[in-house]
Amino acid sequence: MGCVLGKCLTSSRYPRPSDGDMTQSCDAPPCSLEGKHVLTGRLLESVRVPSHNFRLEYSLLTQRGYYPDSPDKENQDSFCVSTQMGGNPNIHLFGVFDGHGQFGSLCSNFVKEKIVQMLCNDSKLLEDPVKAYNSAFLTLNDELRSSDIDDSMSGTTAITALVLGNTLYVANVGDSRAVMAVRVGNRIVAEDMSHDQTPFRKDECERVKLAGARVLTIDQIEGLKDPDIQVWGDEETEGNDPPRLWFADSLYPGTAFTRSVGDSTAEKIGVTAVPEVSVVELTQNHLFFVVASDGVFEFLTSQAVVDMAARYTDPRDACSAIAGESYKLWLDHENRTDDITIIIVHIKGFSSSGAAAIVGQHGLRISHASSEWGSSEAFCSIRSDFSDPQVSQHVGLMNRNTAIAVPSLTQYRPLEVEVG
């Protein structure tokens, strides 16, 4: 969810794809490119993690939103995929950045362009990835503030998943989301690796109130509901009029999130760029993970997204199906759609030998770390050479709108879950 001015929500037709290119470079042997997808024209991409002898097979899709009042509005989402970061074959990053405000696309593109190099240049990345994440996000925020981009009422969410050997680190600022698909018996269960940072969360709501924010919905601002009632239900039932952040005596900025990169005005009432970091030790039960903007999750639950993704062995089919369903649901409920960006990463060939023991519910250990809320938990890190700061593969912002095409039944094949 963006600023109040950015959520003006449209007709029942898809937008026409615009021209543009997805930039990509790949000069490392472990990166394999297979035949193009019949529906999307996208390559199926794969990269190995030699330290634990498994590979990541992934695809992505971004779709510009449909805005009837602004038919030429650009896609403010951006994304990055960086494999073999710093020349290290065991480190790979997947990120989605959802810009908002007048200069949202500039903000999301700014973060996309800098996040990889910032992590690569941090000598503490292998020793303490959580600390490196915190440093990168705060530095990004400072550099955006010092840039030529006006971030006073614009900014971006940032959700990144860093594969470091057999450990996954997810850093989140905002309301984009990362979800893991976990095998539990003969079921595939969705486990959130991030939690949307909005006033719906009691802890985030109290934090911004302590910083001086007034938290009210539009109906409360307009006198249609009692402003003294500070309970708003949940995002699924009250998402059409979410609680927003306002200055005590002003009708701005109206942000429906509590953390972001940018939004310098909202920072004065508690919006922060400090990420929440989750840590997942991969096991054979972890089948795939999804990183996506809130355009995907506005009307789909995490479990619904995982259920849809699990119906397809090819992540390109899954990206198309989920984007298509998200788009349809937007038009069923609103008169517009949001920008939609999704990355799906399958974990292939993971062996139990050398893998971490299962910890916690469904084999998922999640620890939230934030420099504002005490010291970080100590984490084991994978040590290896990290001397080359250059990125061997970097997929950047895609301006071209991928036409949404849902795979036909002839291409439908469910992801197999082995039991026993």
Side-chain angles (χ1 to χ4, degrees), residues 8 29 169 181 230 235 350 359:
C8 53
Y169 296 86
Q230 294 285 286
E235 204 156 352
F350 195 94
V359 180

Side-chain angles (χ1 to χ4, degrees), residues 271-301:
V271 171
T272 179
V274 175
E276 290 181 309
V277 181
S278 301
V279 183
V280 179
E281 295 175 357
L282 297 177
T283 73
Q284 288 178 299
N285 292 324
H286 296 122
L287 304 178
F288 60 86
F289 59 88
V290 179
V291 182
S293 63
D294 73 326
V296 169
F297 294 103
E298 187 76 12
F299 301 106
L300 287 173
T301 65

